Structure formats: C-alpha cells, structure tokens
Amino acid sequence: MPSSDSGSSFLLMAHANLMVTSCMAKRALIIGVTGQDGSYLTEFLLAKGYDVHGLMRRASLFNTDRVDHLYHDPHLAGAKLTLHYGDLTDGTALRRVLHTVDPDEVYNLGAQSHVKVSFDIPEYTAEVVAVGTLRLIEALRDHVMHRGRLVRYYQAGSSEMFGAAPPPQSERTPFYPRSPYGVSKAAAHWFAVNYREAYGLFICNGILFNHESPRRGETFVTRKVTRAVGRISQGLQDKLYLGNLEAQRDWGYAGDYVEAMWLMLQRERPDDYVIATGEAHSVRDFVQLAFAEAGLDWQRHVAVDDRYFRPTEVDALLGDARKARRLLGWQPQVTFVELIRMMVARDIDLARRELAVNQAGFADPARGAALAGGD
Ligand code: NDP
Ligand code: GDR
C-alpha cells in the first residue's frame, strides 16, 4: 500500500508535538469505545498513563458494560476516562469532540461491524463505515490545520477487504471484498490513504484479521459457540444452530491486537500493516475444540441452519503479518487453543451465574431465546 510522500511535515510536527506534550499525559480519543476492541484499547492506554476520551452512541439501554470497570465518577478527582456522546453519522458532533478533546491520537474503531447484518442494512453500514470515516478524517484535517500540531490517527481496517483474494493475504494483496461491510471498509481504507497523501495527515490503516475474546459480541461465530458451550454444559440449552462450518479464519486475541494499533501510531511515519497470527482454522475446528474443552461432543448439539449462510462468503483468510513483526516488533502472545480455553471458561462461569439466578426463581427466558437465535 502506498504511504505518504510528504514525510518531512510529519517529522516537523512530530518534533513540535513532542516538545509540547513531553510533560503532559497524552490524550487519546477512541471512536467505538464501548466495543470489544475499544474496551481493551482503553485498558491498554490507561495503563500507559494516557487520558482516554471515548465517543459513545446514545442508546435506550446502557451500552457501556465493557468499559464500566474503567469508568470513574467525573466528579471525583483523577478520572482518566471521559465519555462523550457522538456518532459517526453526525459530523458536527465529531468536530466538536475533536475540538474539545484536542487529542494526540485518534482511534477510529466505530462500525456496524457484523458482516452478515451488513447484507440486511447495507446503506446504514456504508453510511457509518465508509462515509463516517470520511466525515471523521475531514474533521481531523480541519482540526490539524487550525491547531497546527500533529494528531496521529488509526483506521480500523479489516481482512474482510481481501474477501475472495486467495490466502495468504499481505499488505500487497489486492482487495476483493464480498459484503457491503467489506466494500465499505475498503472505501474507508482508500479515503484514509488519500487523505494521508493529499494533506500529509498522520494516518495508519491497520488491516486486522479476526480477533476474539470473552468480550466478543455474542453473534460473532466464536462467541456464539462458546456462549452455547457454557449454557449447554449447565443444561440451559441443548442445540446450537450455525451456518457455514467450512470457512477458514485467522483468529487471534483482541488484547494482543490493540497493542499493534498503538505501535503503528508510535512510528515516525504512518503506514499500513496487516495484523494476524499466520494460522488458519475452520469454523468446524473451532466448534469441535470449544465443545471438547467442556467435555462435550459437538455433533450431539450442533445443527446447520441455512439462515446463517451469507449471500457471498469469504472462504479463507490467512494473514501474512511479517511487516508488522519486522517494523513494529509485534507478535501475538495468545495461541488459538488458549483463546478458546479463555472464552469457554468465561462463558461457563456466565452460564453458572445464569443457572443460579434461575434456581433462585429469577429466570429470564427471553435472554436465552435471543442467544440461541443470534446471527
Ligand atoms: P464492535 O462491534 O464490538 O464495536 C464497534 C463499536 O462501534 C461499538 O462501540 C459501537 O457502539 C460503535 N459504533 C457502531 N455504530 C456507530 C456509529 N454510528 N457511530 C459511532 N460508533 C458506532 O467491534 P470490534 O470492537 O470487534 O471492532 C472494532 C473495529 O475494528 C470495528 O471497526 C470493526 O469493524 C473492526 N475490525 C474488527 C475485527 C475483529 O475481528 N474484531 C477485525 C478487523 C476489523 P455500540 O456499543 O453502541 O454498538
Ligand atoms: P466475520 O466474523 O464475518 O469473519 O467478521 P463472524 O464471526 O461473523 O463469521 C466468521 C465465519 O463464521 C461463519 N459462520 C457464522 N458466523 C456467524 N456470525 N454466525 C453463525 O451462526 C455462523 N456459522 C458459520 C461465517 O459465515 C464466517 O465465515 C468478523 C467481524 O469482526 C468483522 O467486523 C471483522 O472485520 C472481521 O471479522 C475480520
């Protein structure tokens, strides 16, 4: 992927920035702070001494579960995480938040991130993922021009941009997206490259392959499986309905991947990096290992349901992250088996709590029904 040729402006601004901020805590703005990656990145940056500001959407129910443990009452001294209302569909709010926070680093993790759902709501997906990114970097461009100081920006790109391109996929592999989500991420990627080259902005595209955790949304396949394993192990559920078991993915641990986002922004010049483990497994492998972890035979519980197939599938993703290893010194710590073990353990624990609540006479049957039928 091309990187900017206006390198000297980054260096000059980086130097000025360093002098101003050397004695102050750095400020990071995270769009999508309430998501899986947003929560791990917030933890990571707080541990590094950053003041973290997060953009969150207004929702009718609380949507801050993943960051509640990091949030302190802003009336108390020393609060390091500040939340702001905003939305990638609202350019005015994005400008206001950038102006208010005046960040050193911006991480754009906000997205309608479910591939299958993107076939159901393609316009909205493109509005948030593609146009939302454009809105944000337009606001960034003006902000940088007015403040005259360097702001480093991370764009959350995806292996879904490679889509049908045969594995292994690296920074040099041409994109061939297979869903409205993948097409929108590819558009966002090229907006980011164009703004880096046209305006000399410090923008990095991370091209991240699938990464999971116990905080993964419950309708992505790994978490859907481990939630079911937990509930089946406690007798709360019997069947799990899935779609394509043959798809291959390169699955890593989200906690490892947020470090790569940060490392990209610490380099002298902005660039694009593939982040992956370099190991691929099928959905079937994941299912078998997750059930075995709880001493269960998956074939007794799993059924295939056509409704979970996609109109166009991404068959095989396997990342070549040698550039990130060489230039960022990044490599994943958690193995595939360790990841499954961690997720299954957490979901058995959650299921035990659900069982205890049921046994105490406070059952919530609607919740179980929604889980069994998730995308
Ligand atoms: P999640 O779906 O867990 O989180 C997405 C975040 O975006 C949530 O905070 C969500 O808010 C927020 N969001 C959704 N719509 C909007 C909007 N209109 N305006 C502002 N924020 C919005 O995704 P992940 O944490 O897993 O992924 C983070 C980013 O990385 C996403 O952009 C995703 O597409 C991308 N990515 C993820 C990979 C993965 O394997 N996890 C791999 C490659 C890329 P709310 O909580 O209110 O829904
Ligand atoms: P993906 O993740 O589409 O790769 O996007 P997901 O977990 O949804 O699907 C992975 C593979 O599993 C197959 N599959 C199922 N998927 C779901 N969700 N539900 C099922 O019941 C099911 N059965 C089989 C899918 O067909 C697919 O092949 C994720 C998201 O985090 C994106 O935001 C991110 O960009 C990419 O990873 C990299």
Side-chain angles (χ1 to χ4, degrees):
M1 302 296 157
S3 58
S4 172
D5 50 9
S6 48
S8 55
S9 59
F10 299 130
L11 295 183
L12 278 175
M13 286 211 273
H15 187 63
N17 213 26
L18 194 71
M19 297 200 348
V20 174
T21 57
S22 58
C23 47
M24 294 163 58
K26 280 195 184 172
R27 283 185 303 280
L29 172 62
I30 303 177
I31 316 296
V33 72
T34 55
Q36 170 189 256
D37 291 5
S39 68
Y40 283 104
L41 182 63
T42 301
E43 274 171 11
F44 179 87
L45 294 175
L46 288 175
K48 288 214 167 287
Y50 279 66
D51 283 333
V52 178
H53 293 256
L55 189 88
M56 59 176 274
R57 301 192 290 172
R58 192 267 160 185
S60 66
L61 291 170
F62 285 120
N63 60 350
T64 55
D65 287 15
R66 292 187 179 104
V67 287
D68 280 346
H69 64 294
L70 303 170
Y71 188 76
H72 295 106
D73 185 336
H75 302 99
L76 303 176
K80 302 285 278 177
L81 170 61
T82 309
L83 297 175
H84 306 259
Y85 280 117
D87 198 298
L88 283 163
T89 59
D90 184 341
T92 309
L94 294 175
R95 283 170 188 273
R96 191 178 300 126
V97 167
L98 271 176
H99 179 75
T100 308
V101 175
D102 191 19
D104 299 287
E105 296 172 10
V106 176
Y107 295 85
N108 180 18
L109 313 182
Q112 187 305 91
S113 71
H114 202 287
V115 173
K116 172 137 190 310
V117 172
S118 79
F119 287 98
D120 301 327
I121 48 170
E123 282 183 35
Y124 175 74
T125 302
E127 187 60 42
V128 173
V129 175
V131 184
T133 299
L134 177 60
R135 263 184 213 107
L136 181 58
I137 56 179
E138 262 288 89
L140 179 76
R141 172 187 159 203
D142 289 349
H143 178 77
V144 167
M145 205 173 71
H146 286 125
R147 292 284 167 147
R149 75 184 193 91
L150 183 71
V151 181
R152 293 162 190 260
Y153 175 100
Y154 172 82
Q155 175 59 29
S158 164
S159 49
E160 282 294 302
M161 300 187 299
F162 295 125
Q169 295 96 359
S170 75
E171 294 83 2
R172 290 173 308 284
T173 305
F175 296 154
Y176 185 167
R178 297 268 284 171
S179 64
Y181 168 82
V183 173
S184 303
K185 280 287 182 190
H189 174 96
W190 286 113
F191 281 135
V193 171
N194 181 238
Y195 272 55
R196 182 168 71 203
E197 294 176 352
Y199 306 114
L201 296 177
F202 192 109
I203 295 183
C204 294
N205 287 293
I207 307 176
L208 272 54
F209 282 60
N210 299 54
H211 45 278
E212 320 293 312
S213 74
R215 297 182 202 164
R216 185 57 145 153
E218 292 175 9
T219 61
F220 296 98
V221 76
T222 55
R223 189 78 200 289
K224 184 172 166 182
V225 169
T226 60
R227 274 299 262 151
V229 165
R231 298 185 85 246
I232 291 168
S233 76
Q234 300 307 305
L236 290 161
Q237 180 178 331
D238 183 45
K239 282 273 177 250
L240 169 65
Y241 297 96
L242 294 173
N244 180 13
L245 301 181
E246 310 313 325
Q248 302 252 343
R249 289 291 182 275
D250 179 331
W251 278 296
Y253 169 54
D256 289 342
Y257 284 45
V258 298
E259 183 192 15
M261 298 175 188
W262 178 79
L263 285 169
M264 286 176 212
L265 298 200
Q266 310 316 306
R267 300 271 301 167
E268 213 164 73
R269 290 167 198 275
D271 205 345
D272 304 331
Y273 300 89
V274 158
I275 301 297
T277 69
E279 233 184 77
H281 300 270
S282 66
V283 173
R284 183 187 299 274
D285 289 343
F286 188 98
V287 170
Q288 193 217 318
L289 286 167
F291 275 79
E293 187 60 32
L296 297 166
D297 174 4
W298 71 278
Q299 284 172 305
R300 292 192 46 225
H301 300 282
V302 174
V304 169
D305 181 338
D306 285 351
R307 94 174 66 177
Y308 301 116
F309 282 74
R310 290 140 193 219
T312 40
E313 175 63 287
V314 170
D315 294 322
L317 292 173
L318 170 64
D320 172 354
R322 277 178 295 180
K323 178 177 171 184
R325 266 171 218 222
R326 189 164 42 85
L327 297 179
L328 305 179
W330 177 85
Q331 58 180 38
Q333 304 298 318
V334 174
T335 66
F336 181 62
V337 169
E338 287 166 350
L339 175 65
I340 292 177
R341 201 162 283 157
M342 180 197 300
M343 292 177 71
V344 168
R346 169 70 181 145
D347 283 332
I348 289 178
D349 187 48
L350 274 184
R352 286 200 178 117
R353 290 177 200 212
E354 187 183 344
L355 185 64
V357 169
N358 288 358
Q359 285 169 343
F362 299 108
D364 181 2
R367 172 119 182 96
L371 277 175
D375 291 309

